[in-house]
């Protein structure tokens, strides 16, 4: 199928273990669109909503990227890694006493609102046109910060040294950095073992097209949100 004339957006479910770009290339190879791009990179460890834009809708990036995002994150206390997730290597293991649930709740409240956040050195965020991870590989630690906002942060599970949170945040938020900061505050370290993006604005994970279904379908246009509807949604003339 040729998507040269398709303009719109696909709410796609990215599984963990693959890069966002690999998913994009797979869709590009299967459907051969004239123009394609994605909004909001997900790390390989992450799963969930990845918005794929076709044709004219690729120009809506600056509008859609501003949408609030909601994540479910699972982290482990007592272990710190260089990437702040389980894909990195362990840099420190800390033995700690049992932490009370109320202490966790009180700590995460401190991160609600507007905060200055350090961008992880192992990220695709660029400095002088070069991704930070390329500097990190060479042993160069570039310090870059973003001002982000945490709208909601809720503890949904805490058992032994495993913490599960639901976070609603602004664009540019690195959940890895947030978890790393919480671990530092607890003086035991922490890192992400699972991350799922469940919402981007009104785009919900329940309506995401999964990879197994993508392989089977012959006509993808019925899953694509029409470009004109997007223009109306974002009040663009």
């Amino acid at each position: 199928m040729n998507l040269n004339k398709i303009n719109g957006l696909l709410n796609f479910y990215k599984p963990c273990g693959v890069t966002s770009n690999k998913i994009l290339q797979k869709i590009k190879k299967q459907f051969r669109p004239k123009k394609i791009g994605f909004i909001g990179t997900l790390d390989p460890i992450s799963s969930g909503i990845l918005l794929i834009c076709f044709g004219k809708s690729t120009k809506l990036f600056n509008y859609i990227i501003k949408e609030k995002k909601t994540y479910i994150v699972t982290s482990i206390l007592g272990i710190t890694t260089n990437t702040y997730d389980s894909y990195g290597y362990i840099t420190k293991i800390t033995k700690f006493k049992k932490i009370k649930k109320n202490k966790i709740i009180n700590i995460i409240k401190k991160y609600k609102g507007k905060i200055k956040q350090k961008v992880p050195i192992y990220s695709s965020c660029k400095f002088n046109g070069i991704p930070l991870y390329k500097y990190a590989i060479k042993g160069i630690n570039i310090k870059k910060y973003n001002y982000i906002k945490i709208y909601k942060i809720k503890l949904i599970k805490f058992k032994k040294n495993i913490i599960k949170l639901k976070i609603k945040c602004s664009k540019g938020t690195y959940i890895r950095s947030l978890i790393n900061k919480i671990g530092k505050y607890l003086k035991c370290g922490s890192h992400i073992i699972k991350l799922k993006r469940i919402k981007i604005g009104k785009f919900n994970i329940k309506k995401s097209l999964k990879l197994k279904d993508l392989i089977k379908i012959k006509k993808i246009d019925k899953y694509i949100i029409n470009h004109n509807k997007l223009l109306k949604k974002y009040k663009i003339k």
Side-chain angles (χ1 to χ4, degrees):
M1 179 185 177
N2 194 300
L3 289 180
N4 282 349
K5 296 181 180 180
I6 293 292
N7 300 294
L9 182 145
L10 173 67
N11 179 355
F12 188 78
Y13 182 98
K14 187 194 89 68
C16 62
V18 294
T19 64
S20 297
N21 188 58
K22 191 171 182 178
I23 291 296
L24 186 74
Q25 295 307 316
K26 190 172 185 66
I27 294 173
K28 192 174 182 179
K29 185 178 179 180
Q30 185 172 344
F31 297 102
R32 304 185 305 282
K34 188 174 182 179
K35 199 171 185 181
I36 187 173
F38 63 80
I39 298 171
T41 304
L42 283 174
D43 294 326
I45 195 174
S46 308
S47 63
I49 295 178
L50 184 67
L51 299 179
I52 310 291
C53 294
F54 297 91
K56 293 179 182 178
S57 295
T58 55
K59 295 179 181 180
L60 302 180
F61 177 89
N62 291 331
Y63 295 92
I64 303 173
I65 196 66
K66 293 177 183 178
E67 295 275 25
K68 297 170 186 175
K69 300 170 181 67
T70 304
Y71 297 86
I72 299 293
V73 57
T74 305
S75 63
I76 187 166
L77 298 177
I79 302 173
T80 307
T81 73
N82 65 324
T83 58
Y84 306 161
D85 62 28
S86 57
Y87 274 47
Y89 62 78
I90 295 172
T91 56
K92 191 176 182 180
I93 297 176
T94 306
K95 290 184 179 180
F96 63 96
K97 294 180 181 179
K98 187 177 180 181
I99 300 172
K100 292 183 179 180
K101 185 178 179 180
N102 285 340
K103 186 176 182 179
I104 301 291
I105 292 171
N106 289 332
I107 285 172
I108 64 176
K109 282 180 181 178
K110 296 178 183 293
Y111 294 97
K112 189 177 178 181
K114 191 175 182 180
I115 60 173
K116 184 180 179 181
Q117 185 183 65
K118 186 177 183 294
V119 177
I121 57 172
Y122 285 93
S123 70
S124 58
C125 184
K126 293 181 178 180
F127 177 76
N128 289 337
I130 302 170
L132 292 186
Y133 72 85
K134 290 191 176 182
Y135 288 103
I137 291 170
K138 293 179 180 179
I140 304 170
N141 186 1
I142 301 294
K143 292 183 179 180
K144 190 172 182 179
Y145 297 87
N146 284 335
Y147 281 97
I148 56 106
K149 190 171 183 178
I150 305 297
Y151 298 96
K152 291 180 182 179
I153 181 165
K154 183 182 179 182
L155 179 67
I156 54 180
K157 185 179 180 182
F158 178 45
K159 188 176 182 180
K160 293 182 179 179
N161 63 336
I162 302 294
I163 293 178
K164 195 172 186 179
L165 302 171
K166 185 177 182 180
I167 301 167
K168 187 176 183 179
C169 57
S170 67
K171 70 168 185 174
T173 302
Y174 284 89
I175 304 298
R176 285 184 289 146
S177 287
L178 184 62
I179 293 301
N180 179 65
K181 201 74 174 177
I182 291 170
K184 283 184 177 180
Y185 203 97
L186 289 167
K187 297 180 180 179
C188 63
S190 62
H191 72 279
I192 286 178
I193 55 175
K194 192 176 182 180
L195 180 65
K196 182 181 284 187
R197 186 157 64 196
I198 60 171
K199 285 189 79 177
I200 298 179
K202 292 183 179 180
F203 300 107
N204 198 296
I205 196 170
K206 293 178 181 178
K207 295 184 178 181
S208 295
L209 179 68
K210 293 186 177 180
L211 185 61
K212 63 178 182 179
D213 298 317
L214 177 71
I215 297 168
K216 297 175 185 177
I217 62 175
K218 293 182 179 180
K219 289 187 177 182
I220 198 173
D221 48 320
K222 68 175 182 177
Y223 296 94
I224 293 175
I225 301 167
N226 185 272
H227 181 69
N228 290 331
K229 285 185 178 180
L230 293 171
L231 291 177
K232 189 176 180 181
K233 173 181 170 60
Y234 293 102
K235 298 177 181 179
I236 304 169
K237 293 182 180 180

